């Protein structure tokens, strides 16, 4: 009877996970999706606590307390600017759990002398994927937090070296399948998987971190699938498959949004600071500056205004000021929309979450494909902290590293105002042709303070 109830609870959890993924596909239902996912996970955990294999609850209670103590601050107190790092850490914790389960299950079965070949295969995949996800996620966290250099760290014959290390790990896995009791093969495979995670992320630049985080999410899901097969747990198989597949789909969508292939992301070392010989920049000319008063007048009397948010908006924590400015313009009769590029920010959906947190209505957030058709009718575009996603070189300069990447066509508008802290390049280290275009005026300064000034001037216009 207990086993039947557990499986029914797992079925309910699986249904809630699928419903959550569906709800997460639309901004207006995303909050409900998170709640459904949390309810599904609670049902799965509660059912697992009644499993017959559990003989003692002491360490489970300790784990629950530690998890709550760590998880609550990560969920409640981490600012939106640090959300990509938090997600990378979450992937590391999830993969670490899968890896430890794999190691523990292997040692337990080895002690009992019950190591079946099929179980060893599942455990091997679990440890390989889990181990590389742990260290890969920690490396991604380090790059996003700027503890490690955001630029690619490369050396001669790097790809060949990485492939050789991975081959050794696969060979150890194969040896373990043939000789399941070989502790040396199991230990070598674990060490290699941890090393591969480091080697995988080191040569990837900051511009590709959103794709890397999404891909690591997929690896963590696949590790959970392997865990489910290893310990015969259906909900882990289902949840892991959903997580792995959704992460893969998201990674493909983001690579497409950057006009990049997976191989280029993983092995292309994109994101390095360009040299004069390799940058391929056509950005020549002087930037034209504008005062806050003049910029505010231009927007106050515009019929159509589009705000383009980027990571600079998140760094300045200026999302509330952007919403207030939009409200002031609309009170004067102007129409305001927010243009959302798929890879703006440092994680998938970063700008959507940031602006939704500030109370911007969902119907004001317009995806790239839809907003690009409206720029020709737009009087003023205000770019707040975005760089690469509005760089015209992606369309006009074949020598540019981002050539072919879909961008927001802000230059189709009648005028453009760009808010930047300074004259530096974007996260990928590429000069932006937009900044020196005749249509563009630059408003330098902290985004939060500049938006506050713009709001005051629009109100007084």
């Amino acid at each position: 009877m207990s086993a039947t109830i557990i499986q029914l609870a797992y079925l309910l959890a699986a249904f809630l996970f699928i419903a959550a993924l569906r709800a997460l596909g639309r901004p207006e239902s995303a909050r409900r999706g998170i709640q459904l996912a949390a309810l599904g996970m609670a049902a799965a955990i509660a059912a697992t606590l009644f499993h017959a294999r559990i003989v003692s609850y002491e360490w489970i209670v300790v784990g629950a307390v530690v998890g709550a103590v760590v998880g609550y601050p990560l969920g409640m107190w981490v600012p939106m600017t640090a959300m990509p790092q938090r997600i990378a850490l979450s992937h590391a914790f999830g993969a670490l759990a899968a890896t430890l389960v794999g190691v523990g299950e292997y040692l337990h079965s080895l002690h009992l002398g019950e190591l079946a070949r099929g179980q060893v295969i599942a455990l091997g995949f679990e440890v390989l994927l889990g181990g590389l996800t742990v260290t890969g996620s920690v490396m991604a966290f380090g790059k996003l937090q700027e503890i490690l250099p955001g630029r690619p760290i490369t050396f001669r014959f790097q790809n060949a070296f990485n492939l050789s290390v991975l081959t050794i790990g696969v060979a150890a896995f194969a040896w373990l399948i043939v000789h399941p009791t070989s502790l040396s093969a199991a230990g070598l495979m674990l060490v290699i998987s941890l090393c591969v995670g480091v080697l995988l992320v080191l040569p990837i630049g900051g511009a590709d971190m959103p794709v890397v985080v999404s891909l690591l999410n997929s690896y963590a899901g696949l590790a959970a699938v392997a865990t489910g097969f290893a310990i015969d747990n259906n909900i882990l198989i289902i949840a892991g498959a959903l997580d792995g597949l959704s992460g893969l789909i998201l990674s493909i969508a983001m690579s497409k949004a950057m006009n990049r292939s997976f191989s280029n992301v993983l092995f292309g070392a994109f994101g390095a600071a360009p040299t004069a010989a390799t940058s391929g920049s056509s950005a020549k000319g002087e930037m034209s500056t504008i005062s806050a008063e003049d910029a505010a007048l231009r927007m106050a009397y515009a019929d159509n205004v589009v705000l383009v948010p980027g990571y600079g908006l998140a760094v300045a924590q200026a999302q509330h000021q952007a919403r207030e400015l939009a409200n002031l313009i609309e009170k004067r009769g102007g129409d305001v929309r927010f243009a959302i590029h798929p890879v703006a920010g440092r994680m998938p959906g970063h700008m959507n979450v940031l602006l939704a947190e500030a109370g911007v209505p969902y119907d004001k957030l317009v995806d790239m494909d839809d907003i690009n058709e409206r720029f020709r009718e737009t009087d003023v575009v205000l770019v707040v902290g975005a760089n690469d996603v509005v760089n015209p070189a992606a369309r006009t300069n074949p020598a540019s590293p981002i050539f072919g990447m879909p961008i927001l066509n802000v230059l189709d508008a009648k005028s453009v105002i760009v808010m930047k802290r300074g004259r530096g390049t974007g996260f990928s280290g590429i000069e932006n042709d937009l900044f020196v275009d005749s249509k563009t005026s630059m408003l330098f300064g902290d985004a939060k303070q500049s938006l506050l000034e713009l709001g005051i001037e629009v109100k007084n216009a």
Side-chain angles (χ1 to χ4, degrees):
M1 188 64 178
S2 177
T4 302
I5 293 174
I6 290 173
Q7 295 306 317
L8 287 173
Y10 284 168
L11 183 62
L12 172 63
F15 171 78
L16 290 171
F17 291 152
I18 294 170
L21 278 177
R22 180 177 176 82
L24 288 169
R26 299 186 302 278
E28 61 271 15
S29 59
R31 188 184 298 272
R32 186 174 76 251
I34 292 295
Q35 294 168 345
L36 289 173
L39 183 60
M41 184 57 68
I45 292 172
T48 303
L49 292 176
F50 291 97
H51 200 283
R53 291 185 64 180
I54 298 178
V55 295
S56 175
Y57 288 91
E58 285 84 358
W59 284 109
I60 293 176
V61 172
V62 171
V65 171
V66 171
V69 169
V70 174
Y72 186 83
L74 284 176
M76 296 297 295
W77 299 338
V78 172
M80 279 305 303
T81 49
M83 196 56 64
Q85 298 93 300
R86 192 205 69 79
I87 291 175
L89 274 183
S90 295
H91 292 163
F93 289 144
L96 179 61
T99 305
L100 291 176
V101 168
V103 172
E105 187 69 16
Y106 173 78
L107 294 176
H108 178 69
S109 299
L110 181 65
H111 176 71
L112 296 178
E114 299 175 352
L115 269 174
R117 186 151 295 165
Q119 184 185 25
V120 170
I121 293 173
L123 290 172
F125 274 116
E126 177 184 349
V127 171
L128 273 175
L129 290 171
L132 72 88
T133 304
V134 170
T135 50
S137 298
V138 171
M139 295 297 294
F141 166 80
K143 282 179 175 274
L144 289 166
Q145 189 65 25
E146 298 181 353
I147 298 172
L148 299 173
R151 61 177 175 78
I153 300 175
T154 59
F155 52 86
R156 288 188 66 187
F157 309 114
Q158 185 169 46
N159 290 338
F161 177 78
N162 292 355
L163 184 60
S164 299
V165 173
L166 181 60
T167 301
I168 294 172
V170 173
F173 181 23
W175 183 261
L176 186 65
I177 294 173
V178 177
H179 302 280
T181 59
S182 175
L183 279 173
S184 57
L188 177 62
M189 185 181 66
L190 175 60
V191 171
I192 290 294
S193 69
L194 296 172
C195 292
V196 167
V198 175
L199 296 171
L200 185 71
V201 179
L202 270 181
I204 301 176
D208 286 327
M209 276 304 115
V211 180
V212 172
V213 170
S214 179
L215 200 55
L216 289 169
N217 176 57
S218 181
Y219 292 159
L222 294 175
V225 171
T227 304
F229 280 112
I231 64 176
D232 193 24
N233 187 290
N234 292 331
I235 193 60
L236 272 177
I237 297 172
I238 296 171
L242 292 172
D243 189 23
L245 188 58
S246 60
L248 181 62
I249 292 171
L250 184 57
S251 300
I252 293 172
M254 295 179 71
S255 295
K256 182 180 178 182
M258 297 191 300
N259 195 38
R260 308 279 304 288
S261 65
F262 269 149
S263 60
N264 189 244
V265 169
L266 296 177
F267 308 115
F270 181 76
T275 64
T278 62
S279 67
S281 173
S282 61
K284 293 179 174 61
E286 293 294 325
M287 297 181 185
S288 175
T289 59
I290 190 173
S291 66
E293 293 83 359
D294 290 341
L297 280 173
R298 194 182 295 182
M299 288 186 289
Y301 292 99
D303 292 325
N304 295 289
V305 177
V306 173
L307 271 67
V308 179
Y311 187 61
L313 180 81
V315 171
Q317 288 287 281
Q319 62 270 27
H320 295 278
Q321 287 69 34
R323 188 253 304 159
E324 290 167 6
L325 176 62
N327 290 346
L328 289 169
I329 295 172
E330 289 187 329
K331 284 181 181 178
R332 297 182 60 91
D335 179 71
V336 182
R337 292 288 185 271
F338 291 80
I340 308 298
H341 191 282
V343 293
R346 295 294 179 269
M347 69 175 184
H350 197 172
M351 296 300 104
N352 300 73
V353 174
L354 196 71
L355 294 169
E357 178 198 35
V360 176
Y362 295 124
D363 60 351
K364 297 290 184 182
L365 309 178
V366 187
D367 291 337
M368 176 181 65
D369 292 338
D370 295 326
I371 200 68
N372 273 345
E373 301 173 359
R374 303 188 187 186
F375 279 121
R376 286 186 177 85
E377 305 166 1
T378 301
D379 297 309
V380 183
V381 172
L382 178 63
V383 179
V384 187
N387 200 322
D388 301 319
V389 298
V390 294
N391 192 341
R395 290 188 299 167
T396 61
N397 184 7
S400 173
I402 63 170
F403 181 71
M405 169 182 164
I407 61 168
L408 293 164
N409 299 329
V410 298
L411 270 182
D412 290 345
K414 296 172 186 176
S415 67
V416 180
I417 301 170
V418 176
M419 294 176 58
K420 271 178 63 62
R421 182 181 293 274
R423 297 173 182 264
T425 58
F427 203 43
S428 64
I430 300 170
E431 297 288 347
N432 196 330
D433 295 354
L434 173 69
F435 301 160
V436 296
D437 192 89
S438 59
K439 284 187 179 181
T440 303
S441 302
M442 305 295 296
L443 180 59
F444 292 109
D446 176 75
K448 190 172 187 176
Q449 184 60 36
S450 295
L451 286 169
L452 279 171
E453 293 176 8
L454 286 175
I456 294 172
E457 295 297 333
V458 167
K459 190 182 297 184
N460 296 331

